């Protein structure tokens, strides 16, 4: 398989591995999938994979959720063990400057009113301040995605105007890298993929796949998953695509990609100043976009329901997290001469087979995580999830899953006993709810 060369190649160095890990970052690090982060998604994060392979204690700020909760909600979402000081400090919605300036300040559980409080409690301070206090053996910092992401998720204002300025990004990342470089910890960074290629943005081929026609969307242009839903549900007849606010044209995409290239050049330069490696996530996702992975005849692509993104079409699936974890270990080992074990073939196959966001039988419907937040609650209504017979068309996958059933956790299909909600949803309510969910930084 193509993936084996990408994920499992390379030799191992031999040196004493660091003791302790701290993760800094945004929603990807926190473990957001399908518009929510909870105990049902956080354990699948790439940071938790790395900690397991390092064999270090890595307490997670596990969050309980509800069927109608979304990321940033501190009323329906709550810390399961608020007394635990987490080592994963990544907070959804964070930009580069957030790691320097967005501080947790809740003194009691009842005072938690932001996602930053929810994740960092009972600690006080910003992500970088807390990392400096802990000073672990290894710090992994993947930040910058939200400095570009809003240009994609601002579905009703697709004009490339939401990018963080070059000056602000350069200043913030320089301070962040300098402070991390002053610590006694080993440090590793990751760069930013092209957000124009995430599953949230639909090209004309994607529109045909989900609606049957392309509604005249020109090649090289993108619209959003929200517009696709409006077209799919018959709420709009295609006229919306004549409004430039709902379309990223090729010139706007070029602006976005040029800015991301600048951000990545800053990351590379400042990481070099700090003597730290950078995982080139941009190239990894570009490779996966051009070279879909095939596992048991299941193609994994960057498209919506393609298996590399979760149901919100923005955040990585379990499988993507596993790929990122393995590649980060590869980079850290090579740079520092370490011998952290990489993911095995069994690790990867188990992840693919139990991933609730991979369409294993090709019917354009995934299993999902029933009731784990609003997107997971809505998706069965929209026909995108709730496929509890997803293995029927993949005998080889079923047989392989049976062989490793005893090692699987609560995400396994055989343990899914919840039924999708029976709540009645009007078309307007569905679109309004998804618009709320997909406002990535509304909780900042």
């Amino acid at each position: 398989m193509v993936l084996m060369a990408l994920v499992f190649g390379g030799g191992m160095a031999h040196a004493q591995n660091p003791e302790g890990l701290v993760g800094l970052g945004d929603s990807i690090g926190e473990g957001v999938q399908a518009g929510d982060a909870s105990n049902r998604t956080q354990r699948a994060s790439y940071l938790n994979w790395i900690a397991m392979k390092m064999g270090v204690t890595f307490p997670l700020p596990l969050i309980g959720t509800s069927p109608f909760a979304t990321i940033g909600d501190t009323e329906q979402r709550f810390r399961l063990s608020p007394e635990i000081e987490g080592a994963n400090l990544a907070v959804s919605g964070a930009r580069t400057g957030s790691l320097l300036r967005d501080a947790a300040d809740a003194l009691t559980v009842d005072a938690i009113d932001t996602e930053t409080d929810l994740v960092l409690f009972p600690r006080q301070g910003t992500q970088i301040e807390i990392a400096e206090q802990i000073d672990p053996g290894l710090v992994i910092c993947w930040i910058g995605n939200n400095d570009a992401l809003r240009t994609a998720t601002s579905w009703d204002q697709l004009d490339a105007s939401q990018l963080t300025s070059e000056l602000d990004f350069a200043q913030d990342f320089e301070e962040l890298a300098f402070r991390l470089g002053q610590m006694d910890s080993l440090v590793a960074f990751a760069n930013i993929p092209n957000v124009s290629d995430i599953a949230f943005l639909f090209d004309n081929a994607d529109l045909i796949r989900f609606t049957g026609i392309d509604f005249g969307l020109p090649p090289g242009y993108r619209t959003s998953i929200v517009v696709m839903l409006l077209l799919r549900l018959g709420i709009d007849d295609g006229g919306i695509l004549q409004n430039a606010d709902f379309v990223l044209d090729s010139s706007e995409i070029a602006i976005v990609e040029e800015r991301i290239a600048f951000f990545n050049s800053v990351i590379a330069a400042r990481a070099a100043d700090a003597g730290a490696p950078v995982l080139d996530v941009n190239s990894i996702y570009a490779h996966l976009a051009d070279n879909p992975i095939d596992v048991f005849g299941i193609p994994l692509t960057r498209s919506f329901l393609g298996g590399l993104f979760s149901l919100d079409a923005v955040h990585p699936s379990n499988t993507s997290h596993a790929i990122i974890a393995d590649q980060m270990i590869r980079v850290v080992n090579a740079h520092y001469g370490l011998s952290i074990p990489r993911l095995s073939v069994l690790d990867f196959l188990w992840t693919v087979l139990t991933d609730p966001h991979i369409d294993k039988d090709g019917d354009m419907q995934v299993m999902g995580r029933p009731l784990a937040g609003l997107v997971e609650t809505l998706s069965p209504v929209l026909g995108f999830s709730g496929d509890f017979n997803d293995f029927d068309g993949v005998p080889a996958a079923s047989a392989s899953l049976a062989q490793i059933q005893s090692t699987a956790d609560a995400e396994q299909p055989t343990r899914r006993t919840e039924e999708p909600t029976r709540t009645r949803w009007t078309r307007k309510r569905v679109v309004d709810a998804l618009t709320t969910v997909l406002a990535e930084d509304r909780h900042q």
Side-chain angles (χ1 to χ4, degrees), residues 17 20 25 36 77 87 91 104 129 158 203 216 298 344 350 395 425-426:
N17 292 328
D36 195 7
R77 297 166 66 249
V91 177
E129 289 170 345
L158 292 175
D203 60 19
I298 306 167
S344 67
W350 174 83
W425 292 82
T426 64

Side-chain angles (χ1 to χ4, degrees), residues 17-23 47-60 87 136-138 140 340-341:
N17 292 328
E19 296 182 3
L21 170 68
V22 160
L47 289 166
N48 197 44
W49 262 116
I50 294 170
M52 288 190 294
K53 289 300 179 180
M54 290 175 63
V56 299
T57 300
F58 189 66
L60 297 171
L138 175 63
I140 293 177
I340 302 170

